[in-house]
Amino acid sequence: MALPVDNNHSSESSDRNHVLDIYPLSCYYFGSKEALPFKDETLSDRLHRFKSNYAAHGMRTCVEAVILVELFKHPHLLLLQVRNSVFKLPGGRLRPGESEVDCLKRKLSSKLSEGSVLEWEVGECLGMWWRPDFVTLMYPYLPPNVKKPKECTKLFLVKLPESRKFIVPRNFKLLAVPLCQIHENHKTYGPIISGVPQLLSKFSFNIIES
């Protein structure tokens, strides 16, 4: 005999899973360290390097972190700004044989700490973006006619502890940007970052006072 499903209990459990605790920006400390070197290359050089890496290792996989703090009673997303113009989510490319979570922890430690691998609470994958060919355009889905995509970028939710010290390279800026400013602002932040607020729509935010 089939047992009745307790829909109320299931709904309450799901609601609890989708509550995201965030701490005020004032809980965190910030410092700087030596600049990270940039590759000064033309678009043609970058495309050539991309194709060479694909020929050697296959599809490139990148992982990026969605990290939230509270400021003025509103959730803010932590972004890295490069050369005062380009905004990026913290993260980077996997090494051959490296897991996605290990890569993200390594990248967060190298870009947001003094270099030692800190404990980072990497949560669920929020979304994936695909690059079908050697072009700049990426899609939030894999077109069914694309059998050999060239790149996949995965966004993971990363939950911060109550306090942490961020150490950022001098040629980067770490910014806390309100979600309402990012939402659908493709021109400033690009399609991946501007789509983050929609990916977070299933969560309710619980602001924990310091």
Side-chain angles (χ1 to χ4, degrees):
M1 182 177 68
L3 296 175
V5 176
D6 186 350
N7 290 324
N8 290 332
H9 177 75
S10 176
S11 176
E12 289 174 4
S13 176
S14 177
D15 289 344
R16 285 196 297 271
N17 290 337
H18 291 155
V19 174
L20 183 58
D21 294 336
I22 58 176
Y23 295 92
L25 184 63
S26 58
C27 289
Y28 303 101
Y29 304 89
F30 301 89
S32 62
K33 60 181 179 180
E34 290 187 9
L36 287 178
F38 287 127
K39 291 185 177 74
D40 287 322
E41 56 184 1
T42 65
L43 183 59
S44 177
D45 292 335
R46 187 183 176 201
L47 183 60
H48 177 73
R49 180 167 58 86
F50 192 176
K51 289 181 176 180
S52 297
N53 288 336
Y54 179 81
H57 305 293
M59 184 186 74
R60 178 167 67 182
T61 301
C62 298
V63 288
E64 297 181 346
V66 174
I67 306 174
L68 296 173
V69 296
E70 177 270 335
L71 186 62
F72 305 124
K73 303 297 182 182
H74 193 84
H76 283 55
L77 180 67
L78 292 186
L79 297 177
L80 288 169
Q81 187 180 29
V82 186
R83 292 171 173 163
N84 295 319
S85 59
V86 180
F87 295 93
K88 294 179 175 289
L89 291 167
R93 186 177 64 181
L94 268 68
R95 292 170 174 169
E98 186 177 34
S99 75
E100 294 166 354
V101 172
D102 286 345
C103 174
L104 189 54
K105 290 180 177 180
R106 173 175 60 83
K107 288 293 186 178
L108 290 174
S109 295
S110 69
K111 293 179 180 177
L112 298 180
S113 78
E114 294 180 279
S116 57
V117 179
L118 300 175
E119 285 299 317
W120 298 92
E121 186 180 347
V122 178
E124 65 183 273
C125 179
L126 297 173
M128 302 167 66
W129 285 75
W130 299 87
R131 194 185 305 276
D133 208 341
F134 298 110
V135 292
T136 56
L137 191 62
M138 297 188 75
Y139 295 88
Y141 59 90
L142 181 61
N145 62 316
V146 176
K147 305 304 180 185
K148 294 182 178 181
K150 304 304 182 283
E151 181 179 342
C152 177
T153 295
K154 299 184 178 183
L155 275 58
F156 286 88
L157 181 66
V158 175
K159 300 177 183 179
L160 288 179
E162 185 176 357
S163 181
R164 170 151 288 174
K165 187 173 183 179
F166 293 100
I167 306 295
V168 182
R170 291 191 185 92
N171 51 342
F172 286 79
K173 291 180 182 178
L174 183 61
L175 306 175
V177 185
L179 291 184
C180 60
Q181 179 177 316
I182 292 171
H183 177 56
E184 293 191 343
N185 192 346
H186 303 257
K187 185 175 181 181
T188 301
Y189 300 103
I192 295 180
I193 294 175
S194 63
V196 166
Q198 188 171 353
L199 295 177
L200 294 170
S201 61
K202 70 178 180 179
F203 294 97
S204 59
F205 301 109
N206 178 37
I207 298 171
I208 301 179
E209 300 294 340
S210 57

